[in-house]
Amino acid sequence: MISVLIPSEDNYFHIYAEGVFHSMQHIENETEIILDDNYPFILFYTFPYHNRIYICCSKEICNKNLFSLYNVNKEFSVISILEGRRSFDRFKKSLDYLKQKTNGEILKLPAAFFWQLAYLCKIGHNNSYNLEKLTKKYNYKIVYKKEVKWSRKNS
């Protein structure tokens, strides 16, 4: 398990984590989110003048590009880093869209899926067709909800 501390008071930066959720605890001025590190996880850091996304997996799964970041309890591997407002927004909106469409099942896909998703977001090719095609490539049995729509505003 990997633990990420989310400070509740104003700091120089904000952090949030996505992944296969295990549990959450409130401790004084912090919230601890515990994620299953058998699956990839995503760390969102927002600073006053820039944003950064780290797409990660445990060092037991991938023992390259080892990082240790503030508010994370142990070392992990970084698959991809997205910087800048456009890439950050594209990735976040694409991830939210796919989580809604699949009831969160995409969070259980392998690290290579998230690496390719990050690339689509970097180059601006994160439309609904490409997102769903990529998802089906890694799990063709995944079931999509039909009521979730992708709009031009999302890309």
Side-chain angles (χ1 to χ4, degrees):
M1 298 297 156
I2 193 144
S3 168
V4 181
L5 291 175
I6 313 290
S8 25
E9 58 188 52
D10 285 339
N11 281 342
Y12 175 69
F13 68 92
H14 298 282
I15 181 175
Y16 185 70
E18 281 281 359
V20 176
F21 182 78
H22 185 266
S23 66
M24 180 171 34
Q25 301 175 14
H26 297 287
I27 309 163
E28 292 182 21
N29 293 334
E30 298 178 321
T31 301
E32 180 183 32
I33 297 175
I34 299 171
L35 301 171
D36 186 343
D37 62 358
N38 291 318
Y39 301 98
F41 56 95
I42 300 119
L43 301 172
F44 299 88
Y45 283 85
T46 58
F47 297 90
Y49 298 106
H50 70 281
N51 301 311
R52 191 169 285 164
I53 295 175
Y54 295 94
I55 302 167
C56 317
C57 63
S58 69
K59 68 179 183 178
E60 291 78 25
I61 294 172
C62 178
N63 200 8
K64 294 181 181 175
N65 300 327
L66 294 179
F67 268 66
S68 181
L69 292 174
Y70 186 69
N71 288 21
V72 181
N73 71 331
K74 63 183 183 178
E75 211 173 40
F76 53 86
S77 293
V78 173
I79 300 162
S80 183
I81 299 173
L82 290 160
E83 298 179 283
R85 173 59 67 192
R86 268 195 184 155
S87 293
F88 185 93
D89 289 345
R90 286 176 184 157
F91 186 85
K92 180 130 180 50
K93 288 176 182 177
S94 297
L95 186 65
D96 289 345
Y97 169 74
L98 288 172
K99 279 178 26 191
Q100 287 178 2
K101 281 288 265 191
T102 65
N103 287 324
E105 287 299 308
I106 61 139
L107 296 173
K108 295 180 180 176
L109 293 177
F113 166 81
F114 290 96
W115 181 82
Q116 289 183 315
L117 178 60
Y119 180 73
L120 284 177
C121 294
K122 282 180 185 178
I123 64 172
H125 289 186
N126 59 317
N127 58 44
S128 63
Y129 175 78
N130 286 341
L131 294 176
E132 292 179 23
K133 186 176 174 184
L134 177 63
T135 306
K136 289 288 188 182
K137 176 181 174 183
Y138 285 93
N139 184 352
Y140 68 91
K141 294 180 181 178
I142 208 157
V143 178
Y144 286 102
K145 287 193 218 173
K146 293 189 188 243
E147 64 272 7
V148 179
K149 299 284 183 197
W150 180 263
S151 73
R152 199 87 165 119
K153 295 176 187 173
N154 287 355
S155 61

